[in-house]
Amino acid sequence: MPDRIFNFSAGPAVLPEPVLEKAREAIWNVAGSGIGIMEHSHRGKIFDRIIGEAEQDCRDLAGIPDNYHVLFLQGGASLQFSMVPMNLLPAERTADYLVTGVWSQKAVKEAKILGAKVHIAATGEAGHFSRIPRPGEIHYSADPAFVHLTTNNTIYGTQWRAEPAVPAGAPLVADTSSDMYSRPIDVSKYGIIYAGAQKNLGPSGVVLVIIRDDLVEAGPKTLPTMLQYRTHTGEKSLYNTPPTFGIYVMGEVFKWIRAQGGLAAMAEHNESKAALIYDYLDQSDFFRGTVQPDSRSQMNVCFRAPTEELDTKFIAEATRRGLDGLKGHRSAGGMRASIYNACPREAVESLVSFLEEFEGANRAAAARA
Ligand SMILES: *Cc1c(COP(=O)(O)O)cnc(C)c1O
């Protein structure tokens, strides 16, 4: 489509074009009902089918076991930073956090605001979060109520290759906001998985929560109703008005992922896109990746030119070329290409050609600097 450009934004981020086209029609008239998706009651038959299919497709994609609930909530991933310790952490116990970047730090901050006992089992802060902790660097507390990790670090561009080992009986809680359904995930290894939709799954305003049923009941009944997981599992995400449009789009994204061949196909597509950029960075003596190779994210590729002036110039020229959203997060600097599921291979190819061209045109200037 000539009126759309390549969007490397970290979030809200690119969505699959077939989904956008379908949503455009559904805004006007969904499922032949004569009413747009945003205008339907969340208690009616049409929306009932939409949320039911979204849940079923979500379950089918990852083979989510029956003892897990699938919820569509609000408040973003950020509210989960509070809801998790509120529901899972009795006052006398400790929760362990694996700190791999800004988002894990924010999760820790919220737990501390609640007065929770927090143990930092590992942190990459000293190394500017340029890699994921190695097994020998993780030191858990004696009996953590849960272990929290961020599977993909959107800002620094690192990603866990596999789940870390956790103490027996401690549920693993994962913020998967920026890599949810970008690769297969074994849900049975987790107690809670949560993800704000706006990176890989849909528009902002809806957060996907997958929670094991025994953990739902663990939460205190003294919490505000909206902050108890049992409220939402009991009403199948319909306790109050849910973000109906966001759930519709997420459902269409699940169908699109299925049509692409499911999570294994998504992983293959994402790995090959990421490799195009990393391979280029590895052979370049101009640009450099900022993350250690064993920790590289398949979703957010962070890199730098030889100087900050050249970073700025690169971002400006890329934008003029229709390669948008490449500026790194303010706490990391440099460049970041976010190449989520819906980012087409052509976008990445176009970026790599531009890297090559920019390097050629600016190598001499960098050598003089
Ligand atoms: C974007 C992001 C968040 C914040 O999500 P909100 O939905 O804005 O609250 C949290 N964690 C990670 C890993 C993210 O990438």
Side-chain angles (χ1 to χ4, degrees):
M1 264 220 257
D3 57 342
R4 285 177 56 84
I5 61 172
F6 291 133
N7 176 12
F8 296 94
S9 165
V14 58
L15 285 165
E17 289 192 345
V19 170
L20 293 176
E21 278 166 6
K22 228 178 144 200
R24 178 156 69 178
E25 280 173 37
I27 285 174
W28 191 249
N29 176 357
V30 67
S33 63
I35 297 175
I37 171 62
M38 291 185 282
E39 305 164 297
H40 269 283
S41 164
H42 60 295
R43 310 266 177 220
K45 273 205 181 84
I46 296 278
F47 187 72
D48 222 41
R49 197 173 71 221
I50 287 168
I51 194 170
E53 284 181 17
E55 175 177 345
Q56 195 55 52
D57 288 331
C58 180
R59 288 184 172 279
D60 292 348
L61 279 171
I64 297 177
D66 289 343
N67 60 326
Y68 286 77
H69 300 271
V70 172
L71 300 175
F72 303 98
L73 305 183
Q74 300 186 64
S78 299
L79 187 57
Q80 295 306 306
F81 297 163
S82 306
M83 273 180 77
V84 165
M86 279 177 160
N87 282 273
L88 260 57
L89 188 55
E92 70 286 2
R93 294 193 64 190
T94 299
D96 285 14
Y97 283 74
L98 298 162
V99 176
T100 51
V102 170
W103 295 116
S104 350
Q105 286 174 320
K106 289 196 171 171
V108 167
K109 180 181 157 211
E110 292 304 319
K112 286 188 172 164
I113 285 175
L114 295 166
K117 287 190 195 121
V118 169
H119 170 73
I120 307 298
T123 173
E125 194 169 2
H128 302 287
F129 300 117
S130 64
R131 64 176 178 82
I132 294 296
R134 308 207 165 101
E137 298 167 335
I138 301 174
H139 305 285
Y140 293 115
S141 66
D143 179 28
F146 62 84
V147 174
H148 182 280
L149 90 167
T150 315
T151 51
N152 182 74
N153 300 286
T154 326
I155 292 172
Y156 295 98
T158 64
Q159 187 176 25
W160 290 82
R161 286 275 154 278
E163 296 84 0
V166 293
L172 188 57
V173 176
D175 174 1
T176 63
S177 291
S178 52
D179 65 351
M180 190 59 185
Y181 282 1
S182 67
R183 56 183 180 178
I185 180 166
D186 181 352
V187 173
S188 69
K189 290 187 173 161
Y190 296 87
I192 298 182
I193 295 168
Y194 63 89
Q198 67 274 17
K199 280 52 181 266
N200 245 333
L201 301 177
S204 59
V206 50
V207 55
L208 178 68
V209 177
I210 301 172
I211 179 169
R212 210 173 62 206
D213 58 13
D214 60 300
L215 300 176
V216 173
E217 283 315 314
K221 291 187 171 154
T222 48
L223 293 172
T225 309
M226 282 291 285
L227 300 181
Q228 299 183 31
Y229 287 115
R230 68 169 64 74
T231 302
H232 304 289
T233 57
E235 301 285 340
K236 302 203 80 56
S237 307
L238 295 170
Y239 168 71
N240 70 327
T241 316
T244 53
F245 180 67
I247 293 168
Y248 165 82
V249 177
M250 204 189 260
E252 290 300 320
V253 169
F254 292 147
K255 289 185 205 301
W256 175 82
I257 294 174
R258 218 174 50 190
Q260 305 305 299
L263 301 186
M266 241 32 284
E268 216 178 285
H269 163 72
N270 290 325
E271 277 164 31
S272 85
K273 279 186 304 185
L276 282 178
I277 311 179
Y278 288 123
D279 287 350
Y280 184 81
L281 296 176
D282 283 344
Q283 59 73 51
S284 170
D285 50 17
F286 181 88
F287 289 110
R288 63 186 166 83
T290 56
V291 163
Q292 301 204 13
D294 64 351
S295 301
R296 286 171 167 172
S297 168
Q298 313 273 306
M299 298 280 98
N300 310 95
V301 180
C302 294
F303 59 99
R304 284 175 176 277
T307 64
E308 278 182 29
E309 291 68 39
L310 286 165
D311 286 347
T312 306
K313 185 175 177 199
F314 176 86
I315 293 158
E317 287 185 16
T319 307
R320 280 199 290 278
R321 291 286 192 100
L323 301 170
D324 200 69
L326 288 165
K327 190 170 169 19
H329 187 273
R330 62 187 184 282
S331 52
M335 279 79 78
R336 168 177 56 175
S338 298
I339 51 171
Y340 302 119
N341 284 349
C343 171
R345 192 178 169 89
E346 303 81 73
V348 175
E349 287 168 348
S350 179
L351 171 61
V352 171
S353 315
F354 182 60
L355 285 167
E356 210 167 354
E357 192 186 312
F358 188 88
E359 176 171 341
N362 293 279
R363 202 197 311 269
R368 278 195 308 274

